[in-house]
Amino acid sequence: MRVLAVTNNPQGASFRQRVGVYVEILRNLGITCEVAQLPRDIGARWQLFRRSSQYDGVFLHKKKLGAFDAMCLRRHARRIIYNYDDAIMYNEKSPAKPGWLRSIAFTRTVKLADMVLVGSSYLADFARPHNSNVQVLPIGLDTREYRPEESTNRDGKIRLVWIGSRSTLKYLRQMEGVLEEIGRRHKDVVLRIVCEEFLDLKNLVVEKRQWSVRTRAEDLATSDVGLAPLPDDPFTRGKCSFKVLEYSASRLPVVASPIGTNAYYVREGLTGFLCRHPQQWVDRINQLVLDPSLRTAMGRAGVDRAKEFDVQVIGHRLADLIRGCLEVRPASSGAQE
C-alpha cells in the first residue's frame, strides 16, 4: 500500500510528530509513505495532485485547500485522509472567533476527505458536522529518545523546566508572577528554558538551553518538574500537549493548565497537577519543591503514562485507520455533501 503525504512544511514540529515519526513504522507494517512538500506554484501543485492517482491515497497534513486545489486533488486522488492537530480554523493571534475565509477553506477540506484524523475530541467536534468519518488519534512520542533515570544533579538545585518554541514562549511569560514568587520562596530553585529564545526573571535564576534534537533529552532528564502553562481560548483548547508527554517520558512530574489535551495526558495527583489560577500554580510547584518523594512517585507514574502513547502503539493504530480507509470503498463517500 502506497500513500502520498502532502504538507506545507515537512521540517516542522507538527509534521514530524503527526506523520514523520511514523514513516518507518508504517513501512514495516506494509504501508509505504512518500512525503511531498506542497509547491507554491499552481502548475506544480496541479502536477503533484495529478500524480496522486498513482497512490492508494493521499495523507494531507494540516493544509486548508483553496477551491482549485480541492477540485484537483479530489479529482485525482483515490482516497484522501485529512490530518490536523491544531485549531487551524482559528488565528492564533486573534482567537476570539474563526475568520470566515479560514472557516470556508477548513470546511471545504474536511468535506472532500474520506477520513479526518485529529489529535483530540475538541478538534473532532469542528469536523463532525461536515464529515461522517472523523477519528481521534492522540499524538505519540518515541519513548526510547528520552532518559527516564533519576535526576543526576549534584549541585543541590531543583530545576523547573519548560520546553517549547519561540512562538509559545509567550505562554511561559504569562507565568512570570508565579515564577517570581517561587524564586522569592526558594533560593535553591532554578528555571531551565529549552527553546530558541528566552526570558529573564528578577528572583529566579534562568538556565538558557538551546533546543536541539541531540541535547533535549539530557536537558529534560536532569530537571525535576515540567511546566506546561496555557491560556484558555479557542485556539489553545486545540493544543495537543506534546511537551507533557516529553516530561512524563523523562520521569518528571508535570504542573499544567487543564487546557487542550493537558487534562487528558496528566493524571491529577498521580502524574502531576492541573492548575487554573496563579495561586494554585504557586501552591503545587511549592509542594513539589518541598517533597522529593512526591516528585519521584509522580515521575515514575508519568513514565508508565507516556508509554501508553509510544509511537509503536499509536503507529499501529494509525496503520489500522489508514488500511480501513484505503482498502474498503464505502457505499457513499465519508464526506457529506
Side-chain angles (χ1 to χ4, degrees):
M1 183 174 288
R2 298 174 66 233
V3 174
L4 179 66
V6 177
T7 180
N8 266 346
N9 183 11
Q11 305 304 319
S14 176
F15 182 81
R16 182 173 63 249
Q17 294 160 7
R18 289 293 286 181
V19 184
V21 73
Y22 300 113
V23 170
E24 182 179 350
I25 295 171
L26 292 175
R27 183 185 301 114
N28 292 336
L29 294 173
I31 302 172
T32 301
C33 186
E34 178 183 327
V35 178
Q37 185 168 1
L38 191 68
R40 293 188 177 185
D41 177 72
I42 190 171
R45 291 201 306 275
W46 179 78
Q47 290 291 342
L48 176 64
F49 294 149
R50 186 177 181 184
R51 185 163 63 88
S52 70
S53 63
Q54 302 170 16
Y55 298 81
D56 296 289
V58 170
F59 196 97
L60 178 64
H61 173 252
K62 213 168 182 177
K63 173 65 177 176
K64 302 182 295 295
L65 297 179
F68 175 78
D69 287 346
M71 178 188 68
C72 289
L73 181 60
R74 183 67 277 181
R75 177 179 179 181
H76 294 289
R78 299 182 185 182
R79 297 283 195 285
I80 299 171
I81 299 173
Y82 184 39
N83 169 77
Y84 60 94
D85 63 339
D86 275 317
I88 57 176
M89 64 295 300
Y90 289 96
N91 185 331
E92 182 178 5
K93 295 181 180 178
S94 53
K97 60 181 181 179
W100 66 275
L101 286 176
R102 282 176 173 267
S103 294
I104 290 172
F106 171 76
T107 300
R108 175 191 298 123
T109 310
V110 168
K111 282 185 173 180
L112 68 81
D114 297 284
M115 180 171 68
V116 180
L117 285 182
V118 297
S120 70
S121 296
Y122 174 81
L123 296 175
D125 288 341
F126 289 95
R128 286 190 172 117
H130 312 294
N131 194 299
S132 61
N133 187 14
V134 179
Q135 305 292 333
V136 177
L137 184 74
I139 201 166
L141 83 169
D142 189 343
T143 56
R144 298 171 304 176
E145 294 182 357
Y146 299 88
R147 291 178 43 198
E149 298 95 1
E150 302 287 351
S151 174
T152 57
N153 293 325
R154 302 299 184 193
D155 59 3
K157 301 296 184 181
I158 298 170
R159 285 169 169 80
L160 313 178
V161 64
W162 180 89
I163 189 170
S165 65
R166 61 168 58 93
S167 66
T168 57
L169 184 63
K170 60 189 175 185
Y171 303 141
L172 185 64
R173 290 186 187 279
Q174 295 173 7
M175 291 281 295
E176 285 187 6
V178 168
L179 297 170
E180 295 284 20
E181 176 61 23
I182 294 297
R184 282 189 287 268
R185 294 189 184 192
H186 303 283
K187 298 307 178 185
D188 58 343
V189 172
V190 172
L191 173 65
R192 175 175 288 176
I193 299 176
V194 185
C195 189
E196 315 98 286
E197 293 185 2
F198 307 94
L199 56 80
D200 292 299
L201 298 167
K202 295 179 181 178
N203 299 301
L204 191 60
V205 173
V206 177
E207 288 184 349
K208 301 175 181 180
R209 301 294 181 92
Q210 284 287 331
W211 186 98
S212 80
V213 172
R214 183 176 58 83
T215 61
R216 78 184 193 282
E218 174 72 15
D219 289 336
L220 292 176
T222 53
S223 299
D224 297 284
V225 178
L227 305 179
L230 281 175
D232 186 7
D233 63 50
F235 181 81
T236 57
R237 291 170 203 152
K239 288 286 186 179
C240 289
S241 310
F242 185 71
K243 63 167 54 64
V244 169
L245 292 179
E246 287 191 289
Y247 296 150
S248 292
S250 304
R251 209 183 191 123
L252 304 182
V254 183
V255 186
S257 306
I259 309 299
T261 56
N262 283 2
Y264 175 62
Y265 291 141
V266 176
R267 288 182 167 168
E268 173 67 26
L270 181 63
T271 67
F273 296 117
L274 297 168
C275 303
R276 287 190 176 276
H277 308 296
Q279 190 57 50
Q280 289 179 309
W281 278 90
V282 172
D283 292 344
R284 292 309 194 184
I285 293 173
N286 185 66
Q287 184 178 357
L288 286 166
V289 168
L290 294 174
D291 192 343
S293 63
L294 179 61
R295 296 198 302 268
T296 298
M298 285 188 163
R300 289 173 177 168
V303 171
D304 292 336
R305 181 61 169 159
K307 288 178 181 177
E308 298 177 31
F309 303 94
D310 185 82
V311 290
Q312 293 295 330
V313 176
I314 304 299
H316 278 73
R317 291 174 60 182
L318 175 60
D320 289 342
L321 288 168
I322 291 174
R323 288 195 197 94
C325 179
L326 303 190
E327 289 179 349
V328 179
R329 178 176 292 278
S332 59
S333 173
Q336 297 175 351
E337 299 298 332

